[in-house]
Each structure stands twice: as structure tokens, then as C-alpha cells.
Amino acid sequence: EVQLVESGGGLIQPGGSLRLSCAASDFSVSNNYMSWVRQAPGKGLEWVSVIYAGGSTYYADSVKGRFTIYRDNSKNTVYLQMNSLRVQDTAVYYCARDARDSSGSLWHFDLWGRGTLVTVSS
Amino acid sequence: DIVVTQSPDSLAVSLGERVTINCKSSQSVVYSSNNKNYLAWYQQKPGQPPKLLMYWASTRESGVPDRFSGSGSGTDFTLTISSLQAEDVAVYHCQQYSSTRTFGQGTKVEIK
């Protein structure tokens, strides 16, 4: 079954670090554009970061310099390393895949994981 | 960054009635090279991740009931549910993907 499964969330103090994982099944993360999208409690969705099939990475201004997205092709997993965490980073973090066709990414998300909750609090 | 604003924030509609949700972007999301509107709609039911409903503003994702339709171009878009069903209770999000990716704040749809 094609799916994404996130893990690694939890309770962390401000200033701390956490690494989220997104394990993919039945497709290769190395051939797809993979993003992290977060949703603070009771709020809307916020795109966080993307890694392109070619390896380029991009970040929202709110996390630039603090978060790093990368992947391990052998484990078919995408990661989000989160450093210098702030209270406002508290959210459910979703992993999402860009839809694609033969020419490449179609830029909208066709597959989402169920998310992992990150709570930043003292 | 392109700002995306949805209206209303929430609405309550009787079963079988029509639902209209608006989405407005601060800049045009039409990509000049292919004349496509880089706008998608997602449905998020309580406790679930978002699910893709529409893309290119008006193309229905496979398996989405035809009571859902999308329209609009440039900066103004609409998601319409022609006849609200109980299973349509959800938050609906629009997203532009012409410049990075930004979402609207979401619109909550409930049964009256």
C-alpha cells in the first residue's frame, strides 16, 4: 500500500532539538518531491520544507536556519531535523508527497501521512 | 510571499443544500507558460490528514464525488459542494503552488 508514516514527535523544551522521520511505502522518495507541512492546534496548514528529487531543499522563512530536511534513499525515509525549537513550533507535522507525472512534479500534494505531534513547552 | 485568504471562516448548511467557499490570493497564480491556475483544494476531516480534492483549480482528483467542483482563475477561486452530505463535514483548505506553497486559513463546514 502506498503510504507515509511519520514518527519522532514528542514533548521538548524550548531550545531543544528533535528529528522527525517519514517512512514511505510502495514508492521511492528519491524520485519524488517530499515536503513537511505543519498544523498548529486549531490553526491552518503551513508548508515548512521540501526536498526535490534532485536533492535541492527549500524552507519557509519561519524555520530557515533552524530546520534541515534530508533523506536516506536506502531507508526510503525523509527526515526533518529541528533545532532551536520554539513554543510556536508546536504543531502536528505532516509528511506529504507532490503529485507527479512523466514530466515531473505537479506541485500539489497527493499523499499525506497521518502526522506526528511536536509540543514545545517548558 | 503570496497570501491566501479564505471566506468564510466557517459555515453551517442544511443537508442537501449548496456550499460555496471562496479563496483569494494576493497575486495571480496563473503560470504563464501553461496558462494553468496553480491552486488546489483539500478536505480535512476531524483527526485526519488533509485529502486532495481539486487541483489546477478545477480538476477533480480521482475518486472525489462529482458534487464537488472548483472554479475561478487568476486570484479568485471557489469550491462548491452542490448538495451537502453528512460525510462532507470537514475543514476545507485552499493552497497556491505558483510561488513556494501557501495555504488559506481553512473553512469549517458544519451541518445546520
Coordinates of all heavy atoms in Angstrom, one line a residue, chain A residues 26-104:
Chain A
D26 N 6.0 1.6 -0.9 CA 5.5 1.3 -2.2 C 5.7 2.4 -3.2 O 5.1 2.5 -4.3 CB 4.0 1.0 -2.2 CG 3.7 -0.5 -1.9 OD1 4.7 -1.2 -1.6 OD2 2.6 -0.9 -1.9
F27 N 6.6 3.3 -2.9 CA 7.2 4.3 -3.9 C 8.5 4.8 -3.4 O 8.8 4.6 -2.2 CB 6.2 5.4 -4.2 CG 6.1 6.4 -3.1 CD1 6.9 7.6 -3.1 CD2 5.3 6.3 -2.0 CE1 6.8 8.6 -2.1 CE2 5.2 7.2 -1.0 CZ 6.0 8.3 -1.0
S28 N 9.3 5.4 -4.2 CA 10.6 5.8 -3.8 C 10.6 7.3 -3.5 O 10.3 8.1 -4.4 CB 11.6 5.5 -5.0 OG 12.8 6.1 -4.7
V29 N 11.1 7.7 -2.4 CA 11.2 9.1 -2.0 C 12.2 9.8 -2.9 O 12.1 11.0 -3.1 CB 11.5 9.3 -0.5 CG1 10.4 8.8 0.4 CG2 12.9 8.7 -0.2
S30 N 13.2 9.1 -3.4 CA 14.3 9.7 -4.2 C 13.8 10.2 -5.6 O 14.4 11.0 -6.2 CB 15.4 8.7 -4.4 OG 15.0 7.6 -5.1
N31 N 12.6 9.7 -6.0 CA 12.1 10.1 -7.3 C 10.9 11.1 -7.2 O 10.3 11.4 -8.2 CB 11.5 8.8 -8.0 CG 12.6 7.9 -8.4 OD1 13.7 8.2 -8.6 ND2 12.2 6.6 -8.5
N32 N 10.7 11.6 -6.0 CA 9.6 12.5 -5.7 C 10.0 13.7 -4.9 O 11.0 13.7 -4.3 CB 8.5 11.7 -4.9 CG 7.8 10.7 -5.8 OD1 6.8 11.0 -6.4 ND2 8.3 9.5 -5.8
Y33 N 9.2 14.7 -5.0 CA 9.3 15.9 -4.2 C 8.6 15.6 -2.9 O 7.4 15.3 -2.9 CB 8.8 17.2 -4.9 CG 9.5 17.7 -6.1 CD1 10.4 16.9 -6.8 CD2 9.3 19.0 -6.5 CE1 11.1 17.5 -7.9 CE2 9.9 19.5 -7.6 CZ 10.8 18.8 -8.3 OH 11.5 19.3 -9.4
M34 N 9.3 15.7 -1.8 CA 8.7 15.4 -0.5 C 8.7 16.7 0.4 O 9.8 17.3 0.5 CB 9.5 14.3 0.2 CG 9.5 13.0 -0.6 SD 7.9 12.3 -0.9 CE 7.4 11.9 0.8
S35 N 7.6 16.9 1.1 CA 7.5 18.1 1.9 C 7.1 17.8 3.3 O 6.6 16.7 3.6 CB 6.4 19.1 1.4 OG 6.9 19.8 0.3
W36 N 7.4 18.7 4.2 CA 6.8 18.7 5.6 C 5.9 19.9 5.7 O 6.2 21.0 5.2 CB 7.9 18.8 6.6 CG 8.7 17.6 6.8 CD1 9.9 17.3 6.2 CD2 8.4 16.4 7.6 NE1 10.3 16.0 6.6 CE2 9.4 15.5 7.5 CE3 7.3 16.1 8.5 CZ2 9.4 14.2 8.1 CZ3 7.3 14.9 9.1 CH2 8.4 14.0 8.9
V37 N 4.7 19.6 6.2 CA 3.7 20.6 6.4 C 3.2 20.5 7.8 O 3.0 19.4 8.3 CB 2.5 20.4 5.4 CG1 1.4 21.5 5.7 CG2 2.9 20.5 4.0
R38 N 3.0 21.7 8.5 CA 2.6 21.6 9.9 C 1.3 22.3 10.1 O 0.9 23.1 9.4 CB 3.7 22.1 10.8 CG 3.9 23.6 10.7 CD 5.1 24.0 11.6 NE 5.4 25.5 11.5 CZ 6.4 26.1 12.1 NH1 7.3 25.4 12.9 NH2 6.6 27.4 12.0
Q39 N 0.7 21.9 11.3 CA -0.6 22.5 11.6 C -0.6 22.7 13.1 O -0.7 21.7 13.9 CB -1.8 21.6 11.2 CG -3.1 22.2 11.4 CD -4.2 21.3 10.7 OE1 -4.1 20.1 10.7 NE2 -5.2 22.0 10.2
A40 N -0.5 24.0 13.5 CA -0.6 24.3 15.0 C -2.0 24.0 15.5 O -3.0 24.0 14.7 CB -0.3 25.7 15.2
P41 N -2.2 23.7 16.8 CA -3.5 23.4 17.3 C -4.6 24.4 16.9 O -4.4 25.6 17.2 CB -3.3 23.3 18.8 CG -1.8 23.0 18.9 CD -1.1 23.7 17.8
G42 N -5.6 23.9 16.3 CA -6.8 24.7 15.9 C -6.5 25.7 14.8 O -7.3 26.6 14.5
K43 N -5.3 25.6 14.1 CA -4.9 26.5 13.1 C -4.9 25.9 11.7 O -5.2 24.7 11.5 CB -3.5 27.1 13.4 CG -3.4 27.8 14.7 CD -4.3 29.0 14.8 CE -4.1 29.8 16.1 NZ -4.9 31.0 16.2
G44 N -4.5 26.7 10.7 CA -4.5 26.2 9.3 C -3.2 25.5 9.1 O -2.3 25.3 9.9
L45 N -3.0 25.1 7.8 CA -1.8 24.4 7.4 C -0.7 25.4 7.0 O -0.9 26.4 6.4 CB -2.1 23.5 6.2 CG -3.2 22.4 6.4 CD1 -3.7 21.9 5.1 CD2 -2.6 21.3 7.3
E46 N 0.6 25.0 7.3 CA 1.7 25.8 7.0 C 2.8 24.9 6.4 O 3.3 24.0 7.0 CB 2.3 26.5 8.2 CG 3.5 27.4 7.9 CD 4.2 27.9 9.1 OE1 4.0 27.4 10.2 OE2 5.0 28.8 9.0
W47 N 3.2 25.2 5.1 CA 4.2 24.5 4.5 C 5.5 24.8 5.2 O 5.8 26.0 5.5 CB 4.3 24.8 3.0 CG 5.5 24.3 2.3 CD1 5.7 23.0 1.9 CD2 6.7 25.0 2.0 NE1 7.0 22.8 1.4 CE2 7.6 24.0 1.5 CE3 7.2 26.3 2.2 CZ2 8.9 24.4 1.0 CZ3 8.4 26.6 1.8 CH2 9.3 25.7 1.2
V48 N 6.4 23.8 5.4 CA 7.6 24.0 6.2 C 8.9 23.9 5.3 O 9.7 24.7 5.3 CB 7.7 23.0 7.4 CG1 9.0 23.0 8.1 CG2 6.5 23.3 8.4
S49 N 8.9 22.8 4.6 CA 10.1 22.5 3.8 C 9.9 21.5 2.7 O 8.9 20.7 2.8 CB 11.2 21.9 4.8 OG 12.4 21.6 4.1
V50 N 10.7 21.5 1.7 CA 10.6 20.5 0.6 C 12.0 20.0 0.2 O 13.0 20.8 0.3 CB 9.9 21.1 -0.6 CG1 10.7 22.3 -1.2 CG2 9.6 20.0 -1.7
I51 N 12.1 18.8 -0.2 CA 13.3 18.3 -0.8 C 12.9 17.7 -2.2 O 12.0 16.9 -2.3 CB 14.0 17.2 0.0 CG1 15.3 16.7 -0.6 CG2 13.1 16.0 0.4 CD1 16.2 15.9 0.3
Y52 N 13.6 18.2 -3.2 CA 13.3 17.8 -4.6 C 13.9 16.5 -4.9 O 14.9 16.1 -4.2 CB 13.8 18.9 -5.5 CG 13.0 20.2 -5.6 CD1 13.4 21.2 -6.4 CD2 11.9 20.4 -4.8 CE1 12.7 22.4 -6.5 CE2 11.2 21.6 -4.9 CZ 11.6 22.6 -5.7 OH 10.9 23.8 -5.8
A53 N 13.5 15.9 -5.9 CA 14.1 14.6 -6.4 C 15.6 14.8 -6.6 O 16.4 13.9 -6.3 CB 13.4 14.1 -7.6
G54 N 16.0 15.9 -7.1 CA 17.4 16.1 -7.4 C 18.2 16.5 -6.2 O 19.5 16.5 -6.3
G55 N 17.5 16.7 -5.0 CA 18.2 16.9 -3.8 C 18.2 18.3 -3.3 O 18.6 18.6 -2.1
S56 N 17.7 19.3 -4.1 CA 17.6 20.7 -3.7 C 16.6 20.8 -2.5 O 15.6 20.0 -2.5 CB 17.2 21.6 -4.8 OG 18.1 21.6 -5.8
T57 N 16.9 21.7 -1.6 CA 16.0 21.9 -0.4 C 15.6 23.3 -0.3 O 16.4 24.2 -0.6 CB 16.7 21.4 0.8 OG1 17.9 22.1 1.0 CG2 17.0 19.9 0.8
Y58 N 14.4 23.5 0.2 CA 13.9 24.8 0.4 C 13.1 24.9 1.7 O 12.5 23.8 2.2 CB 13.0 25.3 -0.7 CG 13.7 25.3 -2.0 CD1 13.8 24.2 -2.9 CD2 14.4 26.5 -2.5 CE1 14.5 24.2 -4.0 CE2 15.1 26.5 -3.6 CZ 15.1 25.4 -4.4 OH 15.8 25.4 -5.6
Y59 N 13.0 26.1 2.4 CA 12.4 26.2 3.7 C 11.5 27.4 3.8 O 11.8 28.5 3.1 CB 13.5 26.3 4.7 CG 14.5 25.1 4.8 CD1 15.6 25.1 4.0 CD2 14.2 24.0 5.5 CE1 16.5 24.0 4.0 CE2 15.0 22.9 5.6 CZ 16.1 22.9 4.8 OH 17.0 21.8 4.8
A60 N 10.5 27.4 4.6 CA 9.7 28.5 5.0 C 10.6 29.5 5.8 O 11.5 29.0 6.5 CB 8.5 28.1 5.8
D61 N 10.4 30.8 5.7 CA 11.2 31.7 6.4 C 11.2 31.5 7.9 O 12.2 31.7 8.6 CB 10.7 33.2 6.1 CG 11.1 33.6 4.7 OD1 12.0 33.0 4.1 OD2 10.5 34.6 4.2
S62 N 10.0 31.0 8.4 CA 9.9 30.8 9.8 C 10.8 29.7 10.4 O 11.0 29.6 11.6 CB 8.4 30.4 10.1 OG 8.0 29.3 9.4
V63 N 11.4 28.8 9.6 CA 12.2 27.8 10.1 C 13.6 27.8 9.5 O 14.5 27.0 9.9 CB 11.6 26.4 9.8 CG1 10.1 26.3 10.4 CG2 11.6 26.0 8.3
K64 N 13.8 28.7 8.5 CA 15.1 28.7 7.8 C 16.3 28.9 8.8 O 16.2 29.8 9.7 CB 15.1 29.8 6.8 CG 16.1 29.7 5.7 CD 15.9 30.8 4.6 CE 14.6 30.6 3.9 NZ 14.3 31.6 2.8
G65 N 17.3 28.1 8.7 CA 18.4 28.2 9.6 C 18.3 27.4 10.8 O 19.3 27.2 11.6
R66 N 17.1 26.9 11.1 CA 16.9 26.0 12.3 C 16.5 24.6 11.9 O 16.8 23.7 12.7 CB 15.7 26.6 13.1 CG 16.0 28.0 13.6 CD 14.9 28.5 14.6 NE 13.6 28.5 14.0 CZ 12.5 27.8 14.5 NH1 12.7 27.1 15.6 NH2 11.3 27.9 13.9
F67 N 15.8 24.4 10.8 CA 15.4 23.1 10.4 C 16.2 22.6 9.2 O 16.5 23.5 8.3 CB 13.9 23.1 10.0 CG 12.9 23.3 11.2 CD1 13.4 23.6 12.4 CD2 11.6 23.1 11.0 CE1 12.5 23.8 13.5 CE2 10.7 23.2 12.0 CZ 11.1 23.6 13.3
T68 N 16.4 21.3 9.1 CA 17.0 20.7 7.9 C 16.3 19.5 7.4 O 16.0 18.6 8.2 CB 18.5 20.3 8.2 OG1 19.2 21.5 8.7 CG2 19.2 19.8 7.0
I69 N 15.9 19.5 6.1 CA 15.3 18.3 5.5 C 16.3 17.5 4.8 O 17.2 18.1 4.1 CB 14.1 18.8 4.6 CG1 13.3 17.6 4.2 CG2 14.6 19.6 3.4 CD1 12.0 17.9 3.4
Y70 N 16.3 16.2 4.9 CA 17.2 15.4 4.2 C 16.5 14.0 4.0 O 15.4 13.7 4.6 CB 18.5 15.3 4.8 CG 18.6 14.7 6.2 CD1 19.0 13.3 6.4 CD2 18.3 15.4 7.3 CE1 19.0 12.8 7.6 CE2 18.3 14.9 8.6 CZ 18.7 13.5 8.7 OH 18.8 13.0 10.0
R71 N 17.1 13.1 3.2 CA 16.5 11.8 3.0 C 17.6 10.8 3.0 O 18.8 11.1 2.8 CB 15.7 11.8 1.7 CG 16.6 11.9 0.5 CD 15.8 12.0 -0.8 NE 16.7 12.1 -2.0 CZ 16.4 12.8 -3.0 NH1 15.3 13.6 -3.1 NH2 17.3 12.8 -4.0
D72 N 17.2 9.6 3.3 CA 18.1 8.4 3.3 C 17.4 7.4 2.2 O 16.4 6.8 2.5 CB 18.2 7.7 4.6 CG 19.2 6.5 4.6 OD1 19.3 5.9 3.6 OD2 19.7 6.3 5.7
N73 N 17.9 7.4 1.0 CA 17.3 6.6 0.0 C 17.3 5.1 0.3 O 16.4 4.4 0.0 CB 18.0 6.8 -1.3 CG 17.9 8.3 -1.8 OD1 17.0 9.0 -1.4 ND2 18.8 8.7 -2.7
S74 N 18.3 4.6 1.1 CA 18.4 3.2 1.4 C 17.3 2.8 2.4 O 16.9 1.7 2.4 CB 19.8 2.9 2.0 OG 19.9 3.5 3.3
K75 N 16.8 3.8 3.1 CA 15.7 3.5 4.1 C 14.4 4.0 3.6 O 13.4 3.9 4.2 CB 16.1 4.1 5.4 CG 17.3 3.5 6.1 CD 17.5 4.1 7.5 CE 18.7 3.4 8.2 NZ 19.0 4.0 9.5
N76 N 14.5 4.6 2.4 CA 13.3 5.2 1.8 C 12.5 6.1 2.8 O 11.3 6.1 2.9 CB 12.3 4.1 1.3 CG 11.5 4.6 0.1 OD1 11.9 5.5 -0.7 ND2 10.3 4.0 -0.1
T77 N 13.3 7.0 3.4 CA 12.8 7.8 4.5 C 13.3 9.2 4.4 O 14.4 9.5 4.0 CB 13.2 7.2 5.9 OG1 12.7 5.9 6.0 CG2 12.8 8.1 7.0
V78 N 12.4 10.2 4.7 CA 12.7 11.6 4.7 C 12.7 12.0 6.1 O 11.9 11.6 6.9 CB 11.6 12.4 3.9 CG1 11.9 13.9 4.0 CG2 11.6 11.9 2.4
Y79 N 13.6 12.9 6.5 CA 13.8 13.4 7.8 C 13.6 14.9 7.9 O 13.8 15.6 6.9 CB 15.2 13.0 8.4 CG 15.4 11.5 8.4 CD1 16.1 10.9 7.3 CD2 15.0 10.7 9.5 CE1 16.3 9.6 7.3 CE2 15.3 9.4 9.5 CZ 15.9 8.8 8.4 OH 16.2 7.4 8.4
L80 N 13.2 15.4 9.1 CA 13.3 16.8 9.4 C 14.0 17.0 10.7 O 13.5 16.6 11.8 CB 11.8 17.4 9.5 CG 11.8 18.9 9.6 CD1 12.3 19.6 8.4 CD2 10.4 19.4 9.9
Q81 N 15.2 17.5 10.7 CA 16.0 17.8 11.9 C 15.6 19.2 12.3 O 15.7 20.2 11.6 CB 17.5 17.8 11.6 CG 18.3 18.1 12.8 CD 18.2 17.1 13.9 OE1 18.2 15.9 13.7 NE2 18.1 17.7 15.1
M82 N 15.0 19.3 13.5 CA 14.6 20.6 14.1 C 15.4 21.0 15.2 O 15.4 20.3 16.3 CB 13.1 20.4 14.5 CG 12.2 19.9 13.3 SD 10.4 19.9 13.8 CE 10.4 18.8 15.1
N83 N 16.1 22.1 15.1 CA 16.9 22.6 16.2 C 16.4 24.0 16.7 O 15.5 24.6 16.0 CB 18.4 22.8 15.7 CG 19.0 21.5 15.2 OD1 18.7 20.5 15.7 ND2 19.9 21.7 14.2
S84 N 16.9 24.4 17.8 CA 16.5 25.7 18.4 C 15.0 25.8 18.4 O 14.4 26.8 18.0 CB 17.1 26.8 17.6 OG 18.5 26.7 17.6
L85 N 14.3 24.8 18.9 CA 12.8 24.8 18.8 C 12.2 25.9 19.7 O 12.7 26.2 20.8 CB 12.3 23.4 19.2 CG 12.4 22.4 18.1 CD1 12.3 21.0 18.6 CD2 11.3 22.6 17.1
R86 N 11.1 26.4 19.2 CA 10.4 27.5 19.9 C 9.0 27.0 20.2 O 8.5 26.1 19.6 CB 10.3 28.7 19.0 CG 11.7 29.2 18.5 CD 11.5 30.2 17.3 NE 12.8 30.7 16.9 CZ 13.0 31.4 15.7 NH1 11.9 31.7 15.0 NH2 14.2 31.8 15.4
V87 N 8.3 27.7 21.2 CA 7.0 27.4 21.6 C 6.1 27.4 20.3 O 5.2 26.5 20.2 CB 6.5 28.3 22.6 CG1 5.0 28.1 22.9 CG2 7.3 28.1 23.9
Q88 N 6.3 28.4 19.4 CA 5.4 28.5 18.2 C 5.7 27.4 17.2 O 5.0 27.4 16.2 CB 5.6 29.9 17.6 CG 7.0 30.3 17.3 CD 7.7 31.1 18.4 OE1 7.5 30.8 19.6 NE2 8.4 32.2 18.0
D89 N 6.6 26.5 17.4 CA 6.8 25.4 16.5 C 5.9 24.2 16.9 O 5.8 23.2 16.2 CB 8.3 24.9 16.6 CG 9.2 25.9 16.0 OD1 8.9 26.5 15.0 OD2 10.3 26.0 16.6
T90 N 5.2 24.4 18.0 CA 4.2 23.3 18.4 C 3.2 23.1 17.3 O 2.5 24.0 16.9 CB 3.5 23.7 19.7 OG1 4.5 23.8 20.8 CG2 2.4 22.8 20.1
A91 N 3.0 21.9 16.9 CA 2.1 21.6 15.8 C 2.1 20.1 15.5 O 3.0 19.3 16.0 CB 2.5 22.3 14.5
V92 N 1.1 19.6 14.7 CA 1.2 18.3 14.1 C 2.0 18.5 12.8 O 1.7 19.4 12.0 CB -0.2 17.7 13.8 CG1 -0.1 16.5 13.0 CG2 -1.0 17.5 15.1
Y93 N 3.0 17.7 12.6 CA 3.9 17.7 11.4 C 3.5 16.6 10.5 O 3.5 15.4 10.9 CB 5.3 17.7 11.8 CG 5.8 19.0 12.4 CD1 5.5 19.4 13.7 CD2 6.7 19.8 11.7 CE1 5.9 20.6 14.2 CE2 7.1 21.0 12.2 CZ 6.7 21.4 13.5 OH 7.2 22.6 14.0
Y94 N 3.1 17.0 9.3 CA 2.7 16.0 8.3 C 3.8 15.9 7.2 O 4.4 16.9 6.8 CB 1.4 16.4 7.5 CG 0.2 16.5 8.4 CD1 -0.3 17.7 8.9 CD2 -0.5 15.3 8.7 CE1 -1.5 17.7 9.6 CE2 -1.7 15.3 9.4 CZ -2.2 16.5 9.9 OH -3.3 16.6 10.6
C95 N 4.0 14.7 6.7 CA 4.8 14.5 5.6 C 3.9 14.4 4.4 O 2.8 13.8 4.5 CB 5.6 13.2 5.8 SG 6.7 12.7 4.5
A96 N 4.3 15.0 3.3 CA 3.4 15.0 2.1 C 4.2 14.8 0.8 O 5.4 15.3 0.7 CB 2.6 16.3 2.0
R97 N 3.6 14.2 -0.2 CA 4.3 13.9 -1.5 C 3.6 14.8 -2.5 O 2.4 14.8 -2.6 CB 4.1 12.4 -1.8 CG 4.8 12.0 -3.1 CD 4.5 10.6 -3.5 NE 3.1 10.5 -4.0 CZ 2.6 9.3 -4.4 NH1 3.4 8.2 -4.4 NH2 1.4 9.3 -4.8
D98 N 4.5 15.4 -3.4 CA 3.9 16.0 -4.6 C 3.4 15.0 -5.6 O 4.0 14.0 -5.8 CB 5.0 16.8 -5.3 CG 5.3 18.2 -4.7 OD1 4.8 18.5 -3.6 OD2 5.9 19.0 -5.4
A99 N 2.2 15.3 -6.1 CA 1.8 14.6 -7.3 C 2.8 14.8 -8.4 O 3.5 15.8 -8.4 CB 0.4 15.1 -7.7
R100 N 2.9 13.8 -9.3 CA 3.8 14.0 -10.4 C 3.3 13.3 -11.6 O 2.4 12.4 -11.6 CB 5.2 13.4 -10.0 CG 5.2 11.9 -9.6 CD 6.6 11.4 -9.6 NE 7.2 11.4 -10.9 CZ 8.5 11.4 -11.2 NH1 9.4 11.5 -10.2 NH2 9.0 11.4 -12.4
D101 N 3.8 13.7 -12.8 CA 3.6 12.9 -14.0 C 4.9 12.7 -14.7 O 6.0 12.9 -14.0 CB 2.6 13.7 -14.9 CG 3.1 15.0 -15.4 OD1 4.3 15.3 -15.2 OD2 2.3 15.8 -16.0
S102 N 4.9 12.3 -15.9 CA 6.2 11.9 -16.6 C 7.2 13.1 -16.7 O 8.4 12.9 -16.9 CB 5.9 11.3 -18.0 OG 5.1 12.3 -18.7
S103 N 6.6 14.3 -16.6 CA 7.5 15.5 -16.8 C 8.0 16.0 -15.4 O 8.9 16.9 -15.4 CB 6.8 16.6 -17.5 OG 5.7 17.0 -16.8
G104 N 7.5 15.4 -14.3 CA 8.0 15.9 -13.0 C 6.9 16.2 -12.1 O 5.7 15.8 -12.2

